[in-house]
Structures are given as structure tokens and as C-alpha cells.
């Protein structure tokens, strides 16, 4: 009976690291928040807050975003360079979008991450979680 108990206990001890790794992978995410839109001299200043909670630092990342106008049509698609996102750190990124009127932006969608240097292929989009602090929906 003692030998059987020891074998079961050893198996459980060996399983704990795999369970922890599976939980880490399940909670690994890349949070991107649309924080503010403000009129600027060029057009519209867009402020984002990003936090990399993936399992590796991101050396360079860019997002392809689609901007919808007040007629619910895609107004433009553009790629924004968020530069590096260290693991576990929040970063604020601002982009001044020329010829965009903030009041006509009704929705923003992240189509893709054309550049994601650091994590394994596809991990940036797979772990992407978006939210908006303003009335404009922000989807990933």
C-alpha cells in the first residue's frame, strides 16, 4: 500500500508543473485598450494602452486597424506601429490620424498583427483581448 501511495504521490508531483504551464498558457494575453479619441490639428489623436501578458516580451508589434465612419462603412485601414511591449508592463501609445474626424469614428477593429516579433507565430492575435474606455467599440 505504501509503495502504491508513493507512486501516486510521485505522479501528482510530476503533473503539477504541466498543470501550471497549461494555466499560464490559458491566461497569457495581449491586452489592448482604446483609451481616448481627441481632436488634433491634423485630425484625431488616438490613445491606446497595451499590456503584454504573453509568456515572452514583444520586441516589435504592429496592428492593422480598420476604422468605421458614421455611415458604418470602413473609412480606412492602416497599420500602427506599437513598437516594443515588455512582458507584464503597460505602455501608452498615441497616434495622430490625419484627416480623421474623431466624431465620425464609430468603431475600430484590429484585423491582424502583421509584425509580432518575440512570441511564437500567431500568439499575438490568439492572445489578443480588446476593450474600449470610450463609447467607440474596439474589437479584435
Amino acid at each position: 500500500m505504501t509503495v502504491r501511495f508513493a507512486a501516486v504521490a510521485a505522479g501528482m508531483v510530476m503533473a503539477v508543473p504541466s498543470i501550471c504551464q497549461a494555466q499560464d498558457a490559458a491566461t497569457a494575453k495581449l491586452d489592448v485598450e482604446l483609451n481616448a479619441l481627441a481632436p488634433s490639428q491634423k485630425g484625431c489623436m488616438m490613445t491606446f494602452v497595451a499590456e503584454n501578458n504573453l509568456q515572452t516580451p514583444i520586441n516589435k508589434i504592429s496592428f492593422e486597424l480598420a476604422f468605421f465612419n458614421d455611415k458604418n462603412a470602413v473609412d480606412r485601414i492602416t497599420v500602427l506601429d506599437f513598437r516594443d511591449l515588455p512582458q507584464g508592463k503597460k505602455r501608452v501609445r498615441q497616434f495622430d490620424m490625419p484627416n480623421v474626424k474623431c466624431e465620425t469614428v464609430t468603431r475600430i477593429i484590429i484585423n491582424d498583427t502583421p509584425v509580432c516579433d518575440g512570441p511564437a507565430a500567431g500568439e499575438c492575435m490568439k492572445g489578443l483581448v480588446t476593450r474600449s474606455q470610450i463609447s467607440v467599440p474596439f474589437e479584435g
Side-chain angles (χ1 to χ4, degrees):
M1 192 72 137
T2 305
V3 172
R4 188 178 299 162
F5 175 75
V8 169
M12 290 174 66
V13 168
M14 296 298 283
V16 169
S18 331
I19 292 168
C20 290
Q21 287 173 348
Q23 279 182 325
D24 287 347
T27 59
K29 58 186 180 173
L30 176 57
D31 291 306
V32 182
E33 169 190 286
L34 175 60
N35 187 267
L37 298 180
S40 68
Q41 288 183 351
K42 290 183 181 179
C44 183
M45 178 67 72
M46 299 184 174
T47 303
F48 298 89
V49 178
E51 183 173 7
N52 173 13
N53 289 309
L54 298 175
Q55 295 179 334
T56 57
I58 298 173
N59 302 318
K60 184 173 177 65
I61 188 165
S62 63
F63 295 104
E64 180 186 78
L65 279 75
F67 297 93
F68 289 76
N69 63 25
D70 53 357
K71 294 175 179 58
N72 204 28
V74 174
D75 183 62
R76 71 181 64 209
I77 296 176
T78 190
V79 176
L80 301 178
D81 181 3
F82 274 60
R83 302 185 316 254
D84 66 317
L85 295 176
Q87 189 178 15
K89 301 284 185 186
K90 286 186 181 179
R91 292 290 185 257
V92 175
R93 301 291 190 238
Q94 289 188 310
F95 302 93
D96 203 352
M97 301 298 294
N99 305 316
V100 172
K101 292 181 181 174
C102 294
E103 62 274 9
T104 65
V105 177
T106 59
R107 181 168 45 142
I108 301 173
I109 294 177
I110 295 179
N111 278 335
D112 195 13
T113 54
V115 175
C116 179
D117 179 20
E123 288 301 307
C124 287
M125 277 304 288
K126 182 180 170 187
L128 185 63
V129 176
T130 58
R131 69 178 164 279
S132 179
Q133 289 289 6
I134 60 175
S135 63
V136 176
F138 183 51
E139 306 165 29

